[in-house]
Amino acid sequence: MKTSLPLKIFLGAALVFGGLYVAMKKQTPPWTGPFIGKRVVIQKETDPSLSTSWVFADVDDFKKMFMLQKGDECFVMTEPEWRWQDAKGGFTLVPVFCPAKGGGWTDQHILDGA
């Protein structure tokens, strides 16, 4: 089946303009400027059986990446727009990066006392 030249031109233009439309409609992140965080060193012994001791890959499936332990140096994003809270409101996760181990999301409470 042969397609005509005008149809090819129309399809090509539609593809280009569709891509431009999607690119222009992308939302920018809610934050601007520098990332504000703080350096923390875990001061307390942690319990591996508690979820608050773990760093998760993301907030969708809670895959455990590594456990925070006493002496770990980490950097945490402290601004309210970075906090994720479960639907019940009892579990708050914040982004954390520990140079020696990696990064992910962890319970804010373990970092509050650090």
Side-chain angles (χ1 to χ4, degrees), residues 41-90:
V41 177
I42 306 299
Q43 300 294 325
K44 303 175 198 169
E45 292 292 336
T46 58
D47 183 351
S49 67
L50 299 176
S51 64
T52 57
S53 302
W54 289 90
V55 174
F56 303 103
D58 57 54
V59 295
D60 292 326
D61 65 5
F62 297 105
K63 176 184 169 193
K64 293 178 181 177
M65 298 298 290
F66 58 90
M67 189 177 82
L68 293 173
Q69 297 173 324
K70 184 176 180 178
D72 285 346
E73 175 188 29
C74 300
F75 298 90
V76 61
M77 303 304 286
T78 58
E79 294 299 307
E81 65 261 19
W82 286 101
R83 294 186 190 128
W84 175 87
Q85 197 165 24
D86 71 346
K88 296 177 185 174

Side-chain angles (χ1 to χ4, degrees), residues 10-26:
F10 174 75
L11 291 175
L15 183 62
V16 168
F17 287 114
L20 288 173
Y21 177 78
V22 169
M24 290 184 342
K25 288 294 183 179
K26 273 189 169 179

